[in-house]
Amino acid sequence: MLKNTFSMYKIFITRHIPDAGPKALKEKGYQVDIYQKDDVIARKELLKRVKGCDALLSLLTDKIDEEVLKAAGPKLKIIANYAVGFDNVDLAAAKKYGVTVTNTPAPEVSETVAEHAMALLFALAHRIVESDHLTRQGKYHGWNPNLLLGTDVTGKTLGVIGTGRIGMNLVRRLNEGFGIRTLYSDVKRNKELEKISNAKFVTLNELLMRSDFVSIHAPLLPSTHHLISTKQFRLMKKTAYLINTSRGSIVDSHALVQALKTKRIAGAALDVFEGEPAFALRRQDSTYLQHAWSVILTPHTASATIEARQAMSKLAADNIIAVLSGKPPLTPAK
Ligand code: DGY
């Protein structure tokens, strides 16, 4: 009788994730080991549990470097990172060890993150969080024509930095729904985006100078680290808002706090932070961000819908299944 080789494959998942992926892996007959505590796995535990596995399903909170690859041993074929971003994985080390790295840019995730960026944009423009707080505190003492005046989104200019699927979804929605004008900057021109919207390819400087809302959708790379810093804030309109749902370190947080304090820009909405979960900032900066009304903060939840997280789970598993079956990965990280 032929031996079922699938059953020998061992998969390690570094945290409990929505069940679509684990279910698909188990249905293949793989041995699936899931770290069950609802917390980031400790380094020591990761190095121990990864030993001898054929596939590692990691999270953006796990640092996957040469030490992990070594600890896993020669059977490891794929690191399926449960995130669109993969700055937590050392791609060069993975290449050296012949290990494939994949990410999860599922269509659902692109929709969800674009929705979240939109929600933040509107919340900034209409001062939603501040208004909610004031009302809950019993400080609404009757209609006042000057109370909490915000700004319209309709007809304004959106600047999008990075036009992958998330950036494109945001542009399409705001363009169709609110007649927003769009400027974009990217490493190269995006003709597909230009076909579906009025988006215009400009330099980053021009984008910063002309936009009312600047939304970041670029990956974190050495070239995008602190892409937005003091010099760039100086170029922005005083009435402009910054939205970041990509990676915290693309924005120099200290420069951002200075720009907000000096009213160089009108406000910011951040879903991601330098050195999260704690702000890896000077204490005064983090205190300022936590208390300023011109700032909205969400805890890296831009993709936190059931639909998106299940799609990420399934795609991570499908990548593992493809690679362990000798097929090319569906979404290689590159
Ligand atoms: C991603 O997919 O990279 C997100 O940041 C996780 O929500």
Side-chain angles (χ1 to χ4, degrees):
M1 208 171 97
L2 267 179
K3 210 167 160 196
N4 178 5
T5 49
F6 286 157
S7 61
M8 297 193 302
Y9 287 137
K10 189 182 150 206
I11 322 296
F12 180 53
I13 304 182
T14 64
R15 193 163 182 170
H16 182 72
I17 56 170
D19 66 352
K23 200 163 154 255
L25 295 169
K26 284 178 194 158
E27 277 168 10
K28 278 304 266 185
Y30 300 164
Q31 186 191 325
V32 181
D33 176 22
I34 306 176
Y35 179 68
Q36 287 293 347
K37 269 198 209 156
D38 194 17
D39 207 347
V40 176
I41 188 168
R43 184 77 180 169
K44 220 171 140 195
E45 182 76 9
L46 170 65
L47 295 174
K48 192 171 103 197
R49 299 275 283 271
V50 79
K51 197 170 164 33
C53 70
D54 299 276
L56 170 64
L57 197 157
S58 57
L59 270 58
L60 62 90
T61 39
D62 306 318
K63 185 167 185 258
I64 307 298
D65 55 9
E66 186 150 4
E67 192 182 18
V68 176
L69 288 150
K70 264 195 199 148
K75 283 171 75 189
L76 186 68
K77 288 168 201 65
I78 171 168
I79 295 162
N81 205 44
Y82 180 81
V84 177
F86 44 85
D87 45 288
N88 60 308
V89 182
D90 183 340
L91 291 190
K95 193 167 171 207
K96 181 170 147 198
Y97 284 73
V99 174
T100 301
V101 181
T102 59
N103 65 340
T104 55
E108 291 86 345
V109 183
S110 318
E111 297 287 345
T112 306
V113 179
E115 279 186 15
H116 195 88
M118 261 178 89
L120 292 176
L121 187 151
F122 280 95
L124 281 170
H126 288 261
R127 302 175 68 174
I128 299 293
V129 176
E130 193 179 351
S131 303
D132 173 85
H133 191 76
L134 177 135
T135 313
R136 281 171 200 266
Q137 294 227 313
K139 290 185 181 160
Y140 172 49
H141 302 302
W143 190 79
N144 173 345
N146 302 309
L147 183 64
L148 288 165
L149 298 186
T151 178
D152 281 337
V153 173
T154 304
K156 293 281 162 50
T157 300
L158 169 72
V160 176
I161 302 174
T163 57
R165 288 192 216 176
I166 299 172
M168 283 179 66
N169 273 330
L170 180 71
V171 172
R172 183 173 46 76
R173 284 148 193 258
L174 287 173
N175 200 196
E176 279 171 11
F178 298 88
I180 206 155
R181 281 184 297 274
T182 306
L183 305 174
Y184 75 95
S185 76
D186 211 326
V187 284
K188 61 177 192 306
R189 213 168 143 186
N190 184 336
K191 299 233 169 96
E192 203 188 327
L193 176 68
E194 290 179 18
K195 247 187 242 157
I196 61 157
S197 70
N198 60 9
K200 201 170 157 241
F201 186 45
V202 294
T203 62
L204 178 61
N205 285 359
E206 184 175 352
L207 179 150
L208 294 167
M209 286 189 286
R210 291 178 50 199
S211 299
D212 299 299
F213 300 93
V214 174
S215 194
I216 306 176
H217 301 284
L220 175 61
L221 302 167
S223 58
T224 59
H225 181 264
H226 284 191
L227 182 70
I228 306 298
S229 190
T230 309
K231 196 170 144 240
Q232 288 69 33
F233 284 118
R234 284 205 190 114
L235 296 175
M236 288 175 72
K237 291 184 184 179
K238 286 196 164 178
T239 49
Y241 294 93
L242 179 76
I243 298 133
N244 189 7
T245 52
S246 56
R247 285 293 180 266
S249 302
I250 295 179
V251 177
D252 175 346
S253 326
H254 183 59
L256 169 65
V257 168
Q258 296 315 306
L260 291 164
K261 270 188 183 163
T262 56
K263 303 214 180 312
R264 207 22 272 167
I265 64 169
L270 310 173
D271 182 55
V272 285
F273 311 94
E274 284 199 86
E276 61 184 88
F279 294 101
L281 311 174
R282 303 160 205 225
R283 187 186 290 275
Q284 312 91 287
D285 288 345
S286 56
T287 308
Y288 181 83
L289 284 179
Q290 281 160 7
H291 294 97
W293 280 123
S294 56
V295 178
I296 297 176
L297 307 172
T298 54
H300 206 148
T301 46
S303 68
T305 64
I306 292 162
E307 295 88 340
R309 291 287 161 86
Q310 284 287 21
M312 289 164 74
S313 177
K314 182 70 173 37
L315 183 52
D318 286 347
N319 273 309
I320 291 175
I321 294 167
V323 169
L324 294 185
S325 312
K327 295 189 190 130
L330 306 173
T331 50
K334 51 182 188 212

